């Protein structure tokens, strides 16, 4: 069997997605992958169509490992989000083909079910403690057993994870006052200071635990904004609130500083959405500096690489919590769940409910019931693309927000 075409589809049903469709010489047999990298969509699309697709025409789609190695090592230039997202898009589509050819769901090819479903979490962000509490309660009423809680920080403008421009779910932020020849679409600018944040978050969890109790698993995403000693303080102050884990306390440049947080606290730690290969993750795993590895399968080389990351993590008693926001496509969400339900060391899975428009373009996202995600028992990954529907939603340039401190200096968003 041979690959006959690698098609890249860029579409914006409610935000931009980059889909990869790999066609074969076997009539009707194709695979669907996702290669969406928020804010850098066209770079990945060009990487695939200009540099990768020509190498794959005529190759056997069954040779997933060899194709992965040839794209990763054979290109000499390796790693980084753009390239590893492109490789992931191809890899996910190839696993879809393999499953369809075998007549088996991908989780079955990965070793078969280890659990009835993937424990899922959702986000609850409030403008104040009461709104955050209401959102946690609403998530619990929907069936969630794990909820990530964020709250607006007094004095800040926009806060990561709290509605509007501060939410990763926001796509096209209009800034009429900031035209700069770009049709009005420029990154929104948020303001944030560490001291009010460090006072607010322990108080939020104090409020939530008093109001809701300890039955619901709660946790929090720092989004890489703290210094090591600030992160250590926050982790220590959150100890009485028994959070599931503190997500991404530090920037990925400072992995060795996780040691400092560990020295001061027993709050579990999670990290990974800005790491792009098993080598990026290695020191965190081998030194047991984290408890949850949360790479983005769609930004770290796909299913082939995720299995290897998970295997190293298992060896060092680390569980998985793969990244699963709205800014990666349903094929990656499907890949997440196929891996989750076949791993021994799965922990928890981030998820979103896609809009009707996204489901129209990409039918077959994982389904949620009673706190767990699942995939259909159909061959492959179970996610498809409706190319006619995709054409109705052309690409629109969009940026992630930028954060600045009170003095105007840049901070991580
Ligand atoms: C998460 C992430 C996302 C990222 C987003 C960037 O935990 O879900 O932090 O919200 O901000 O994926 O594009
Ligand atoms: Mg995050």
């Amino acid at each position: 069997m041979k690959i006959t075409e690698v098609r890249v589809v860029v579409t914006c049903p409610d935000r931009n997605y980059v889909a990869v469709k790999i066609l074969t010489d076997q009539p009707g047999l194709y695979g669907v992958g996702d290669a969406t990298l928020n804010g850098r969509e066209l770079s990945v699309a060009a990487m695939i169509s200009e540099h990768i697709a020509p190498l794959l025409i005529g190759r056997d789609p069954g040779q997933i490992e060899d194709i992965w190695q040839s794209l990763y090592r054979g290109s000499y230039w390796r790693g980084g989000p753009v390239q590893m997202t492109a490789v992931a898009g191809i890899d996910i589509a190839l696993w879809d083909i393999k499953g369809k050819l075998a007549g088996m769901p991908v989780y079955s090819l990965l070793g078969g079910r280890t659990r009835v479903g993937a424990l899922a979490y959702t986000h609850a962000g409030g403008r104040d403690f009461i709104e955050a509490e209401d959102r946690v309660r609403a998530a619990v009423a929907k069936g969630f057993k794990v909820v990530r809680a964020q709250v607006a920080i007094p004095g800040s403008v926009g806060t990561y994870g709290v509605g509007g421009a501060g939410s990763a779910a926001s796509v096209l932020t209009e800034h009429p006052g900031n035209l700069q020849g770009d049709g009005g679409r420029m990154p929104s600018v948020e303001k944030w200071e560490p001291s009010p944040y460090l006072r607010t978050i322990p108080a939020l969890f104090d409020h939530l635990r008093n109001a809701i109790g300890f039955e619901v698993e709660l946790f929090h995403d720092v989004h890489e904004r703290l210094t090591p000693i600030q992160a250590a303080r926050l982790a220590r102050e959150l100890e009485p609130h028994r959070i599931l884990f503190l997500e991404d306390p530090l920037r990925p440049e400072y992995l060795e500083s996780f040691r400092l947080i560990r020295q001061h606290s027993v709050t579990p730690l999670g990290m990974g959405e800005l790491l792009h290969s098993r080598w990026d993750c290695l020191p965190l795993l081998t030194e047991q500096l984290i408890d949850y590895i949360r790479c983005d399968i769609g930004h770290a080389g796909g299913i082939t690489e995720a299995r290897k990351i998970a295997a190293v993590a298992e060896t060092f008693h680390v569980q998985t919590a793969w990244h699963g926001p709205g800014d990666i496509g349903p094929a990656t969400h499907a890949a997440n769940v196929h891996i989750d339900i076949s791993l021994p060391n799965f922990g928890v899975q981030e998820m979103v409910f896609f809009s009707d428009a996204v489901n129209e373009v990409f039918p077959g996202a994982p389904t949620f019931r009673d706190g767990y995600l699942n995939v259909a028992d159909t061959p492959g990954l179970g996610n498809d693309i409706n190319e006619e529907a995709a054409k109705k939603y052309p690409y629109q340039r969009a940026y992630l927000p930028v954060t600045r401190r009170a003095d105007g200096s840049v901070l991580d968003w």
Side-chain angles (χ1 to χ4, degrees):
M1 194 195 317
K2 286 185 169 42
I3 294 173
T4 51
E5 189 184 341
V6 177
R7 204 174 282 166
V8 181
V9 178
V10 184
T11 176
C12 187
D14 61 11
R15 63 180 315 132
N16 293 312
Y17 292 104
V18 180
V20 182
K21 183 171 179 178
I22 300 187
L23 295 94
T24 72
D25 57 2
Q26 193 162 312
L29 180 64
Y30 62 86
V32 177
D34 164 52
T36 307
L37 183 63
N38 198 3
R40 293 291 181 268
E41 296 85 0
L42 298 187
S43 316
V44 182
M47 168 76 84
I48 297 175
S49 51
E50 296 298 320
H51 303 294
I52 292 179
L55 302 171
L56 299 184
I57 306 304
R59 290 215 49 179
D60 175 0
Q63 293 184 325
I64 300 178
E65 182 69 42
D66 189 70
I67 290 176
W68 196 97
Q69 296 291 334
S70 65
L71 295 180
Y72 183 83
R73 290 159 69 193
S75 64
Y76 189 61
W77 312 112
R78 57 190 78 198
V82 172
Q83 179 146 299
M84 295 309 276
T85 301
V87 174
I90 301 292
D91 184 82
I92 292 169
L94 292 177
W95 278 98
D96 190 29
I97 292 177
K98 198 178 266 306
K100 287 174 176 168
L101 197 61
M104 290 179 182
V106 168
Y107 72 75
S108 192
L109 299 177
L110 298 177
R113 267 190 195 272
T114 54
R115 59 197 77 246
V116 294
L119 180 69
Y121 74 76
T122 189
H123 304 165
R127 281 165 296 181
D128 54 32
F129 292 177
I130 299 296
E131 193 176 69
E133 176 192 334
D134 288 347
R135 298 230 163 122
V136 173
R137 287 188 192 281
V140 172
K142 261 190 164 169
F144 283 98
K145 302 171 198 322
V146 187
V147 184
R148 188 193 82 178
Q150 311 290 131
V151 75
I153 306 304
S156 70
V157 178
T159 302
Y160 168 77
V162 182
S167 163
S170 74
V171 207
L172 308 168
T173 28
E174 301 258 14
H175 280 262
N178 198 2
L179 283 175
Q180 299 184 13
D182 193 34
R185 297 192 189 286
M186 291 297 286
S188 64
V189 179
E190 303 184 2
K191 288 257 180 289
W192 189 90
E193 277 293 302
S195 295
Y197 173 79
L198 289 168
R199 288 195 300 271
T200 303
I201 298 305
L204 168 69
F205 282 87
D206 212 25
H207 174 91
L208 292 176
R209 285 308 190 198
N210 283 328
I212 293 168
F214 283 79
E215 196 70 18
V216 185
E217 295 280 11
L218 297 174
F219 72 102
H220 177 73
D221 187 354
V222 177
H223 226 247
E224 306 99 9
R225 290 182 182 179
L226 296 177
T227 65
I229 201 69
Q230 289 168 346
R233 169 183 292 281
L234 180 61
R236 181 186 278 188
E237 290 186 359
L238 288 174
E239 279 176 4
H241 308 302
R242 300 289 169 98
I243 61 171
L244 188 67
F245 59 87
L246 188 63
E247 176 178 336
D248 292 355
L250 304 177
R251 290 158 57 184
E253 295 88 348
Y254 295 99
L255 296 187
E256 73 280 4
S257 299
F258 275 77
R259 291 192 198 113
L260 188 138
I261 309 177
R262 277 295 205 219
Q263 279 162 23
H264 293 284
S265 159
V266 291
T267 289
L269 303 174
M271 178 76 187
E273 63 188 63
L274 290 176
L275 306 177
H276 304 293
S277 73
R278 84 198 85 133
W279 296 283
D280 287 357
C281 304
L282 212 52
L284 292 179
L285 300 176
T286 57
E287 284 191 53
Q288 298 185 332
L289 295 178
I290 55 170
D291 304 277
Y292 290 86
I293 183 73
R294 29 178 297 97
C295 297
D296 190 314
I297 287 178
H299 299 160
I303 294 173
T304 299
E305 185 68 359
R307 291 178 73 209
K308 294 175 185 179
I309 294 170
V312 180
E314 181 196 355
T315 316
F316 292 97
H317 229 290
V318 175
Q319 290 177 282
T320 63
W322 308 127
H323 193 217
D327 52 79
I328 55 172
T332 300
H333 283 261
N336 281 340
V337 177
H338 280 273
I339 300 179
D340 295 341
I341 62 173
S342 61
L343 280 180
N345 57 322
F346 163 74
V348 69
Q349 181 58 59
E350 182 177 29
M351 69 158 296
V352 290
F353 294 102
F354 286 106
S355 67
D356 290 346
V358 176
N359 286 325
E360 177 198 6
V361 177
F362 300 110
T367 48
F368 173 82
R369 223 183 102 223
D370 292 340
Y372 294 90
L373 282 165
N374 244 306
V375 281
D377 287 334
T378 48
L381 287 168
N383 192 250
D384 208 346
I385 177 168
N386 176 341
E387 291 176 80
E388 281 314 304
K391 283 186 197 140
K392 291 193 294 184
Y393 307 108
Y395 166 78
Q396 297 188 50
R397 178 164 43 211
Y399 294 92
L400 283 153
V402 167
T403 304
R404 290 182 182 273
R405 291 194 56 177
D407 67 1
S409 57
V410 171
L411 196 76
D412 295 72
W413 176 65

